[in-house]
Amino acid sequence: MRVIILGSAAGGGLPQWNCGCSNCQEARLSGTGRTQSSVALSADGARWVLLNASPDLRAQVASRPELWPRGARGTAISAVVCTDGEIDHTLGLLLLREAATRFPLYASAGVVALLDGEWPVLRVLSAYAGVEPRVLPEGEAITLGDGVGRELGIACTAVSVARRPPRYARQATAATYDVALRLADQRTGATLAYVPSAGAVDDGVQSVARGADLLLFDGTFWSNDELRAAGAGAATPTAREMGHLPVGGRGGSLELLPRLGAKRTMLVHINNTNPILSRASRERAQVEGAGIEVAEDGMEVEL
Ligand code: MLT
Ligand code: MN
Ligand code: ZN
């Protein structure tokens, strides 16, 4: 199974348009940015599944020959799986509107409802080729398939994670929104655990991560008050209020991830304010000292 990190940044990307933090300034000056959170996955190297559809999807697809069109019109992207209904993980769906046929979108029941309601992506896209929403059952493995029902050789299990509904979801009810994914190659058994947003390392996260060949985990913030400290304003929620477990500090993910039993662990969905982005930082050394990697755009892993 092949895994490509298309984008390793959290919402806003690096640099973020209105952020003057040292990481964003450094990225502007050196031309080394990061695009927003997305992963491409394939069991056969020909048909690809996008895990989340980022606002940077167009540039991400252009940068990877694996995702280029086949023939005069067509795509190597067979399906999309969204782990949540956040703007940074769903806006890219609109950028797929030129598709010639309806494409399958796997998401939790709560996220499908949001995309048909307060963030009406499915309704907007219905005027184009359209999207076929497929609800991910909770805690049950399903085989991912393309738009015409051919199996993609990947089993996907979704487990709900500790989060809160997206900010725009003012009428959100008590449904499952954000999920952690366990994705297994049905031929080789290779397994990816994909958890780009999580407020805790709880039983659900443990169940998807156990024995995984690769765990990609929420690296949004180093500390709980990071956004406020970066000048985002006193009304800005903390990392924990946003449903992102900080990496550093007591009870942070750095303490917990090494105990999960994944063979390799990388942080993804990294916010531009996070000090781990600076290679020379003390925080980066702590992450690497714990045997955890900081994902980069364009990284590829064969499982
Ligand atoms: C998140 O991951 O918490 C959201 O994407 C934040 C946002 O609204 O950008
Ligand atoms: Mn996000
Ligand atoms: Zn910044």
Side-chain angles (χ1 to χ4, degrees):
M1 192 160 68
R2 286 174 67 193
V3 179
I4 300 173
I5 309 289
L6 295 176
S8 58
L14 175 76
Q16 178 175 311
W17 67 283
N18 63 346
C19 188
C21 79
S22 56
N23 286 333
C24 286
Q25 275 302 80
E26 166 65 21
R28 285 185 191 99
L29 292 170
S30 61
T32 53
R34 288 171 179 253
T35 64
Q36 292 164 86
S37 178
S38 180
V39 167
L41 177 72
S42 178
D44 61 11
R47 299 172 303 162
W48 290 82
V49 177
L50 289 185
L51 306 179
N52 291 316
S54 128
D56 300 315
L57 180 143
R58 181 180 167 280
Q60 291 169 341
V61 171
S63 75
R64 296 301 308 204
E66 295 89 342
L67 302 180
W68 292 355
R70 310 277 192 261
R73 272 283 159 131
T75 178
I77 301 169
S78 297
V80 181
V81 186
C82 285
T83 55
D84 56 56
E86 298 284 352
I87 305 287
D88 61 343
H89 281 160
T90 57
L91 187 69
L93 295 169
L94 296 176
L95 307 179
L96 294 169
R97 68 187 176 282
E98 295 90 354
T101 53
R102 262 155 69 93
F103 61 89
L105 168 66
Y106 293 88
S108 68
V111 167
V112 169
L114 289 177
L115 297 180
D116 207 19
E118 287 179 279
W119 170 216
V121 170
L122 301 184
R123 268 186 277 147
V124 170
L125 287 173
S126 69
Y128 300 79
V131 175
E132 187 201 328
R134 298 180 183 172
V135 172
L136 288 168
E138 179 133 8
E140 189 189 314
I142 57 159
T143 299
L144 298 179
D146 68 10
V148 292
R150 279 180 304 233
E151 296 188 347
L152 297 171
I154 298 170
C156 174
T157 310
V159 175
S160 100
V161 291
R163 281 272 286 165
R164 46 99 192 92
R167 247 208 263 191
Y168 66 77
R170 298 178 199 278
Q171 286 136 42
T173 52
T176 292
Y177 294 97
D178 293 33
V179 293
L181 301 176
R182 188 173 173 94
L183 299 137
D185 184 315
Q186 291 174 315
R187 190 174 49 85
T188 67
T191 302
L192 168 69
Y194 181 54
V195 195
S197 304
V201 173
D202 54 15
D203 290 351
V205 170
Q206 285 176 33
S207 73
V208 302
R210 192 171 301 124
D213 294 290
L214 175 64
L215 165 62
L216 301 176
F217 192 80
D218 184 338
T220 312
F221 298 113
W222 175 262
S223 56
N224 197 39
D225 64 350
E226 188 170 310
L227 276 185
R228 270 180 228 170
T236 308
T238 64
R240 287 179 189 271
E241 284 165 1
M242 291 175 77
H244 294 295
L245 179 66
V247 177
R250 226 163 200 250
S253 60
L254 203 55
E255 281 181 8
L256 305 171
L257 296 178
R259 303 182 199 158
L260 293 181
K263 299 194 181 93
R264 190 172 174 188
T265 301
M266 285 185 197
L267 298 175
V268 293
H269 192 276
I270 304 162
N271 198 57
N272 55 74
T273 50
N274 192 326
I276 66 172
L277 290 174
S278 168
R279 285 177 190 281
S281 68
R282 179 175 54 83
E283 294 86 352
R284 175 66 162 259
Q286 257 177 270
V287 169
E288 289 171 354
I292 293 172
E293 297 170 67
V294 175
E296 305 273 345
D297 288 20
M299 261 184 177
E300 184 173 344
V301 184
E302 175 93 48
L303 300 179

